[in-house]
Amino acid sequence: MGQLFLSVVVPAYNEESRIALTLEQLSTYLGRQEYSWEIIVADDGSMDATANIVSDWASSNGLIRLVRLDHRGKGWAVQQGMLAARGEYRFLCDADLSMPVEQIDRFVAQAGDSPDIVLGSRELPDSRRIGEPARRHLMGRVFNLIIRVLAVPGIRDTQCGFKLFKAETTAPLFETQVLEGFAFDVEILCLARVLGLDIREIAIDWHYREGSKVRPVRDSFRMVRDVLRVRSRLKTRT
């Protein structure tokens, strides 16, 4: 058997209300594809039934795996899920499926053109943000602008939860990652820039979902603080 083609990594924390539907939609979509695949749910120490639900799915479908972790943050869960993955490509996928699952096609279509990282973007001309409250949208745009100025100029949307990585980028990026919270995306992209990796953004349709674990004001301040620390640390590597 050849190398697994696609690993879908789903970080999850207290997602019992939607994780079963997420797994159903992902496995149904992936089951129609011609390539080989797996789904990894990296459970960040959920205090509800998330891990049990995923374990039940995994027991009946050998292509679904649960990575059970202590609670340390989304970045921690993503890191451990990516390092546990076996696919030639590893797709980061938010548990709320705010992007229609069929749009994974848009990322896989880029694989033959060989970018190292493909970022889903809500900020390109062809992107669509659906149902997002105006205040939340404005805060997101301001945060993205700050991040572009401080850390990753030229990347319009660092925080979208849908990203595709080549397998060979996994060790140099995720084994080096130190941030365990929501700012991990920026750290990974800063590291990618230091390593000279090819990063490409593609437009997606993104639907606002209630129940996000992000606290817009408090977490944005913490993320900016963490980004400044990352920038300072990585300057010593350039």
Side-chain angles (χ1 to χ4, degrees), residues 31-227:
R32 296 196 298 264
Q33 310 310 310
E34 296 182 355
Y35 52 75
S36 56
W37 55 273
E38 66 176 351
I39 299 170
I40 297 174
V41 178
D43 180 70
D44 182 32
S46 293
M47 295 180 289
D48 62 5
T50 299
N52 291 335
I53 294 169
V54 176
S55 182
D56 288 344
W57 274 79
S59 66
S60 60
N61 186 336
L63 301 177
I64 297 174
R65 289 196 284 149
L66 169 66
V67 176
R68 195 186 295 253
L69 304 165
D70 294 332
H71 179 52
R72 288 166 61 171
K74 183 180 181 180
W76 159 249
V78 170
Q79 179 186 47
Q80 298 309 306
M82 284 288 176
L83 294 175
R86 299 171 297 191
E88 182 180 354
Y89 292 90
R90 289 123 195 246
F91 182 70
L92 174 60
C93 179
D94 272 353
D96 63 4
L97 284 186
S98 51
M99 180 193 78
V101 67
E102 295 79 12
Q103 291 187 10
I104 292 175
D105 288 354
R106 300 184 183 184
F107 293 80
V108 173
Q110 303 289 321
D113 203 19
S114 297
D116 296 301
I117 305 172
V118 182
L119 309 178
S121 178
R122 300 162 292 185
E123 300 294 345
L124 294 175
D126 292 334
S127 303
R128 295 199 303 160
R129 302 176 79 124
I130 300 161
E132 184 179 33
R135 179 172 176 271
R136 181 70 179 266
H137 186 191
L138 179 61
M139 291 184 67
R141 294 290 293 271
V142 171
F143 179 77
N144 280 336
L145 176 61
I146 293 171
I147 294 305
R148 288 202 303 273
V149 171
L150 291 179
V152 281
I155 296 178
R156 298 196 185 193
D157 189 1
T158 61
Q159 301 309 115
C160 182
F162 302 92
K163 297 177 172 72
L164 183 71
F165 298 84
K166 278 185 175 179
E168 54 262 38
T169 70
T170 302
L173 291 177
F174 291 95
E175 288 182 359
T176 308
Q177 173 194 339
V178 298
L179 294 183
E180 297 181 337
F182 290 112
F184 81 94
D185 303 80
V186 181
E187 180 184 19
I188 291 298
L189 295 176
C190 285
L191 286 166
R193 283 277 177 82
V194 169
L195 295 171
L197 300 181
D198 180 14
I199 304 171
R200 180 176 303 172
E201 284 189 277
I202 63 171
I204 64 167
D205 297 338
W206 181 85
H207 298 255
Y208 175 76
R209 304 285 194 225
E210 295 287 351
S212 170
K213 305 302 187 299
V214 179
R215 296 159 297 185
V217 176
R218 180 184 300 180
D219 287 330
S220 291
F221 279 117
R222 289 179 176 176
M223 289 164 72
V224 170
R225 177 201 64 193
D226 287 343
V227 167

